[in-house]
Amino acid sequence: HGAYLISKGIEKKLTLGNISISRDWGYAPDYVNAMKIIAENTRTDDFIIATGKLHSLEDMCRVAFEAKGLGDFTEFVESDRSLYREVENSGLIGLADKARLELNWRSRLTFEEMIRQMVIQES
């Protein structure tokens, strides 16, 4: 949303906390599809649904600002230490091997595709 506002001239800067944090971000419709597959499965069990890949908030900014044609995100993004979380669980990664093997589930969109799609839909 920040990249969109800057691309429209509504904002000049985006202020975030720690942009080096990493998450296993995934596309919500992919996760809903996984829930549907699990619900339709004849055998009940527990599954981890995740991409299995870590990406930083910095990665997210890079992709979003490039998608809006703004170039180098560092010209627009500033990090404010007051927004850092006291306890950060950065680096947790989901292992969805069981879902891939037993349910044949995979995330459809890559991280980059997901971010580009969100930024384009914002337009």
Side-chain angles (χ1 to χ4, degrees):
H1 186 67
Y4 167 77
L5 293 175
I6 291 169
S7 75
K8 295 296 183 190
I10 298 168
E11 297 287 339
K12 299 241 184 273
K13 289 279 184 191
L14 173 62
T15 304
L16 300 170
N18 184 357
I19 63 171
S20 64
I21 59 101
S22 292
R23 296 279 189 275
D24 183 343
W25 275 299
Y27 185 56
D30 284 344
Y31 289 18
V32 171
N33 183 48
M35 288 184 269
K36 180 181 171 192
I37 293 168
I38 291 168
E40 292 171 350
N41 194 4
T42 57
R43 186 176 65 83
T44 59
D45 207 343
D46 293 326
F47 295 92
I48 295 171
I49 305 302
T51 68
K53 296 177 182 167
L54 287 177
H55 294 280
S56 68
L57 184 52
E58 184 176 352
D59 295 335
M60 184 180 287
C61 290
R62 183 179 302 106
V63 174
F65 279 79
E66 285 173 2
K68 291 309 289 177
L70 295 168
D72 184 5
F73 77 94
T74 61
E75 295 178 30
F76 305 100
V77 174
E78 50 191 38
S79 182
D80 181 347
R81 288 189 89 55
S82 72
L83 299 175
Y84 281 34
R85 292 182 178 174
E86 210 171 292
V87 177
E88 184 61 67
N89 63 358
S90 182
L92 297 177
I93 189 167
L95 301 176
D97 297 343
K98 184 177 173 182
R100 284 194 234 333
L101 292 171
E102 294 184 24
L103 304 173
N104 198 30
W105 176 85
R106 284 170 180 43
S107 52
R108 283 185 316 119
L109 288 178
T110 66
F111 172 81
E112 292 79 9
E113 291 168 334
M114 175 184 68
I115 300 304
R116 282 188 206 103
Q117 187 175 50
M118 288 189 323
V119 170
I120 290 167
Q121 287 179 353
E122 184 88 37
S123 298

